[in-house]
Amino acid sequence: MTWWSDLVAAEPEFAARVRARFAVRKHGTMATLRRDGSPRISGTEFDFGDDGQLRLGSMAGAVKALDLRRDPRVALHSPTEDAPPDDPSTWDGDAKIAGRAHEEPPAEDGSHSFRIELTEVVLTRVGDPPDHLVIESWHPDRGLERRTRH
């Protein structure tokens, strides 16, 4: 299993840039799978804990938590910020994390908490010069890769 702390140890600068994209706003987006296999999108908060774990939570009995109990595959998307219309080259990019959710013991109020095991981390941004995108991806078995798209 690969955790956030493993990414930080392997690629600290990349991990810091990914975490910064998740920190631009309080709420991001997560995708889970419904019982019939169709996707469910939910807003959520992310916690990059001091213990090296990435966590997310939900209220007691929330459908997104029930989805994760049934099928732990999850995709997380950072909050996004628009670049000024007159200068799209200043877009700071976005980050995505795919993985598996591992439920932790419930809180006293019954709320859910899940640690996220990483299977893929992707950071997309405008290149320099701003005529292309730079896509960086990290996988536990392949490490950090970079490609461009014009």
Side-chain angles (χ1 to χ4, degrees):
M1 286 186 225
T2 304
W3 306 105
W4 182 256
S5 59
D6 298 316
L7 173 59
V8 171
E11 296 291 343
E13 190 271 335
F14 175 72
R17 289 187 292 123
V18 168
R19 186 172 178 171
R21 298 315 317 142
F22 275 90
V24 298
R25 296 211 192 300
K26 184 177 183 178
H27 295 98
T29 306
M30 68 181 279
T32 58
L33 295 170
R34 299 172 190 253
R35 188 181 348 260
D36 67 1
S38 62
R40 181 189 316 274
I41 299 292
S42 305
T44 194
E45 297 175 25
F46 308 102
D47 177 30
F48 292 84
D50 294 335
D51 63 353
Q53 299 295 328
L54 167 57
R55 291 184 174 83
L56 56 90
S58 71
M59 296 185 307
V63 292
K64 62 186 173 186
L66 301 178
D67 286 347
L68 292 173
R69 281 180 168 173
R70 186 179 53 262
D71 187 328
R73 293 177 292 174
V74 64
L76 312 175
H77 189 271
S78 68
T80 58
E81 293 186 310
D82 293 333
D86 59 334
D87 190 6
S89 69
T90 63
W91 180 59
D92 288 327
D94 67 5
K96 300 172 191 83
I97 297 172
R100 291 180 187 84
H102 296 263
E103 189 166 16
E104 298 186 312
E108 287 184 24
D109 64 0
S111 60
H112 305 276
S113 177
F114 296 89
R115 281 185 310 147
I116 305 303
E117 173 189 354
L118 306 180
T119 58
E120 179 184 53
V121 180
V122 178
L123 184 64
T124 304
R125 62 182 171 79
V126 174
D128 184 20
D131 63 348
H132 64 284
L133 289 177
V134 177
I135 301 119
E136 296 173 280
S137 61
W138 181 86
H139 299 85
D141 57 338
R142 296 194 314 256
L144 187 61
E145 301 172 325
R146 174 188 244 175
R147 61 188 188 283
T148 58
R149 191 171 76 192
H150 290 269

